[in-house]
Amino acid sequence: MTSNSTLYIGGRIRTGDPLLPSATTMLVSGGRVVALGFTEPHDVPAGTVVRDLGGATVLPGFIDAHVHPLMGGLQLLATGFAGIQSVEGYWAELRRLDAVTPPGEWIVAAGYSAVLVARERITRRELDAVIGDRPVLMVNSDLHGGLANTVALRAAGLLDSQEFSSEYVERGDDGAPNGLVNEEAMARVMSFSPPPSEAVAEKALLEAQAHLHSLGVVGWQDALLGDKHGGEDPTARYLALDAAGRITARVSGAIGWDRARGVEQVPDILEHARAFTGARLSAPAVKILLDGVHEAGTASMLAEYNDAAGRPLGNSGPTMIEPGLLDEALVALDAAGLDVHIHALGDRAVRDALDAVDAARHANGHRGTRHQVAHVTFIDPSDVPRFRELDVTANAQLIWVADDFLDFAQYEIFVGPERRARQSALAEWDAAGFRWSAGSDWPVSSAAPLDAITAGSRRRIHGDGPTGPLWQRLPATRIIDAYTSGSAFTSRLDDNGVLRAGSHADFVLLDRDPAGPGPANESTVLETVVAGETVYAADSMP
Ligand SMILES: [Zn+2]
């Protein structure tokens, strides 16, 4: 026991524990925190290593409550459109890929801006003109939609099919598919492209883990296990890596709900959850996709979308699960002891989600289930108090509220200025007693918690420009709580999120306090520790 004890001294430890919010020394042994305080504990085991933190700030390690590491890792490995700001740039990247990919093979590249493509009215015609002789699928940065060329649409059988409504397979004025495909329709196209090999997928997952550790993340909820929505199912890769002792993070899984089936799938979900266990793995949750995204017009709103000129479009987004069926699903999942993680951006989807939790709480009583609604971009004022009443956590993607985060700052062209002004009213919702968790939705947006803390507290990620109104911001300390204890709660990582005697020794060292003056992302992650072991150290660490 003696050799793995470390006494940290000289730190500024923010514990997250209301009983002892700060400390300067911390004794860690056997992967857990043994003692915290302001002086050396009396019973330090012989052979304990002493580390002077030299005034560095210590926080409980961040937990990302909504992230897609396999997809993120594949994007880290692959080329994509991330960082390219023009359609000409997308075409140049595709021409480059065309030159290095054997003839006839698929090209799938991700990370383009749906807003940019919508604004420039790009369709498969323009894409065909760049590459017309092999299947090409461009996946947008929100992962909910894509643009396929004619060869890819034909390969997937969607060129002449009426199977999907125009919300999923978008159509031009001539009534023919214009190449833009959303949700299940994009998944259909993707299912015809070859999946990554197991070796590539494992490499991607390890890259993602290293990336997340470098940002101070010690654990996460993988927001989609199962292959219900077209992406690669990471389940088998996690299990293989965990069995080999290579998963260093704490992973909580959310198993995808199949919208094509009903409550008869609950036993299958329970079986999947049982199988997803390991040293660092568990799957306490079920993910239900209840709407899409605003830029595709698929987020479910109470009122209609409008065009750039503010004219109503006669569409308020699809109902992806009929409310009666959703209630049934929630009642059954809740009765089975599963936490439900519902994707809802639009105010109608949020209401449907709350109604379904209400049905579950009525049918089953409060069984301690930890349901959460992720994204919550718009909430009707009448629904705001219901989060507290129903004990539902709001899972926030705070980078999305920043005015310098391209896609979401431009919501106005989809929902108009009035609704845009009510978007993400963070302080107002917080005052209604919200319980928060926080997630990145990486690779949809950056995985860096320090960027999210900055965005949520200043409504900007970078620079000194104007910050948003106070009622649309949260104090940095609130966001840190969301990213630690709040996310640990909804991920059922109950020994995480707070540093106290007995908790996991999972923490992050920073060169300065992200809740201090100035933007949080001016802090640097120096080291990330899980179970007392260093899983990331910056080059500058001694
Ligand atoms: Zn997601």
Side-chain angles (χ1 to χ4, degrees):
M1 267 317 265
T2 55
S3 61
N4 66 358
S5 294
T6 305
L7 178 66
Y8 296 88
I9 60 169
R12 297 159 42 93
I13 306 170
R14 268 185 182 279
T15 65
D17 179 1
L19 297 176
L20 181 72
S22 64
T24 56
T25 65
M26 175 167 68
L27 177 63
V28 166
S29 191
R32 291 191 182 254
V33 175
V34 175
L36 280 153
F38 294 93
T39 54
E40 242 177 68
H42 297 299
D43 44 358
V44 175
T48 295
V49 174
V50 178
R51 260 196 70 187
D52 190 339
L53 297 175
T57 295
V58 178
L59 299 181
F62 298 119
I63 308 283
D64 190 326
H66 185 122
V67 63
H68 305 280
L70 177 56
M71 285 192 267
L74 286 169
Q75 288 196 18
L76 287 179
L77 294 182
T79 47
F81 302 120
I84 300 176
Q85 310 279 350
S86 69
V87 171
E88 243 342 287
Y90 299 152
W91 299 155
E93 175 61 10
L94 285 177
R95 286 193 194 96
R96 192 191 67 74
L97 290 169
D98 189 44
V100 299
T101 308
E105 279 186 17
W106 279 73
I107 290 176
V108 179
Y112 78 86
S113 160
V115 174
L116 193 58
V117 160
R119 205 170 47 205
E120 304 211 1
R121 300 178 186 283
I122 301 299
T123 69
R124 69 180 157 100
R125 303 282 169 216
E126 288 75 27
L127 177 53
D128 284 347
V130 180
I131 304 179
D133 58 353
R134 68 158 89 222
V136 177
L137 175 64
M138 298 169 63
V139 178
N140 76 29
S141 60
D142 65 45
L143 305 175
H144 287 268
L147 175 65
N149 71 356
T150 301
V151 180
L153 274 188
R154 186 177 295 120
L158 295 182
L159 203 52
D160 307 306
S161 155
Q162 298 294 322
E163 180 188 345
F164 290 99
S165 70
S166 60
E167 281 152 334
Y168 297 93
V169 174
E170 296 189 24
R171 288 165 191 282
D173 293 337
D174 59 356
N178 65 11
L180 290 161
V181 284
N182 298 314
E183 309 290 345
E184 279 94 336
M186 181 182 70
R188 176 74 58 83
V189 178
M190 197 176 305
S191 71
F192 284 83
S193 70
S197 69
E198 289 182 6
V200 168
E202 286 181 13
K203 186 158 183 258
L205 208 45
L206 291 173
E207 287 279 334
Q209 177 172 263
H211 177 64
L212 289 159
H213 284 331
S214 78
L215 302 170
V217 174
V218 298
W220 59 77
Q221 182 151 96
D222 190 308
L224 192 54
L225 301 181
D227 54 3
K228 310 299 189 303
H229 301 283
E232 291 310 310
D233 178 8
T235 300
R237 306 281 67 79
Y238 274 121
L239 286 167
L241 290 171
D242 188 61
R246 301 186 72 189
I247 298 292
T248 46
R250 302 189 194 272
V251 180
S252 164
I255 296 163
W257 175 263
D258 184 353
R259 285 192 296 237
R261 299 174 69 196
V263 293
E264 73 279 4
Q265 69 188 292
V266 173
D268 298 340
I269 289 172
L270 286 169
E271 184 50 44
H272 192 156
R274 257 191 301 276
F276 196 78
T277 32
R280 293 283 168 89
L281 310 179
S282 61
V286 174
K287 168 76 173 295
I288 297 184
L289 263 168
L290 202 48
D291 68 351
V293 290
H294 290 91
E295 53 271 35
T298 51
S300 306
M301 298 295 285
L302 291 163
E304 286 174 20
Y305 284 93
N306 42 249
D307 65 14
R311 287 179 294 257
L313 288 172
N315 160 40
S316 57
T319 297
M320 293 189 176
I321 302 179
E322 288 303 326
L325 296 176
L326 182 66
D327 291 0
E328 257 179 52
L330 257 289
V331 170
L333 293 167
D334 182 80
L338 292 157
D339 304 328
V340 183
H341 180 152
I342 304 172
H343 166 120
L345 277 86
D347 45 17
R348 181 157 49 89
V350 170
R351 179 171 295 172
D352 286 351
L354 293 170
D355 287 349
V357 174
D358 198 356
R361 298 279 193 234
H362 267 99
N364 305 329
H366 195 327
R367 304 169 50 90
T369 39
R370 303 178 186 180
H371 305 313
Q372 58 182 332
V373 182
H375 310 319
V376 293
T377 307
F378 294 92
I379 305 176
D380 187 77
S382 67
D383 289 320
V384 169
R386 302 178 71 204
F387 278 79
R388 184 194 167 98
E389 288 157 18
L390 295 166
D391 192 22
V392 171
T393 302
N395 182 325
Q397 285 59 52
L398 290 159
I399 283 181
W400 300 5
V401 310
D403 287 322
D404 53 349
F405 182 67
L406 174 74
D407 286 7
F408 291 88
Q410 301 198 7
Y411 263 29
E412 204 156 302
I413 65 170
F414 308 111
V415 300
E418 205 179 300
R419 280 182 288 181
R420 162 73 175 151
R422 290 205 317 264
Q423 177 192 341
S424 307
L426 302 174
E428 196 179 299
W429 301 346
D430 197 47
F434 266 39
R435 184 208 298 275
W436 298 100
S437 60
S440 64
D441 211 0
W442 182 63
V444 174
S445 40
S446 153
L450 292 172
D451 281 342
I453 296 164
T454 307
S457 58
R458 302 173 78 241
R459 264 186 122 87
R460 293 188 65 79
I461 306 169
H462 304 292
D464 290 328
T467 50
L470 268 179
W471 62 275
Q472 283 187 318
R473 298 194 248 151
L474 286 177
T477 49
R478 277 301 272 160
I479 305 174
I480 291 170
D481 288 346
Y483 248 114
T484 52
S485 55
S487 293
F489 175 79
T490 54
S491 305
R492 286 196 186 267
L493 297 171
D494 288 340
D495 289 341
N496 278 73
V498 170
L499 294 170
R500 62 161 75 102
S503 68
H504 285 145
D506 294 6
F507 53 90
V508 54
L509 295 183
L510 300 151
D511 65 342
R512 55 178 286 276
D513 185 354
N521 57 3
E522 286 178 3
S523 310
T524 302
V525 174
L526 301 174
E527 188 172 337
T528 306
V529 175
V530 179
E533 306 279 344
T534 299
V535 294
Y536 166 78
D539 295 339
S540 59
M541 276 307 282

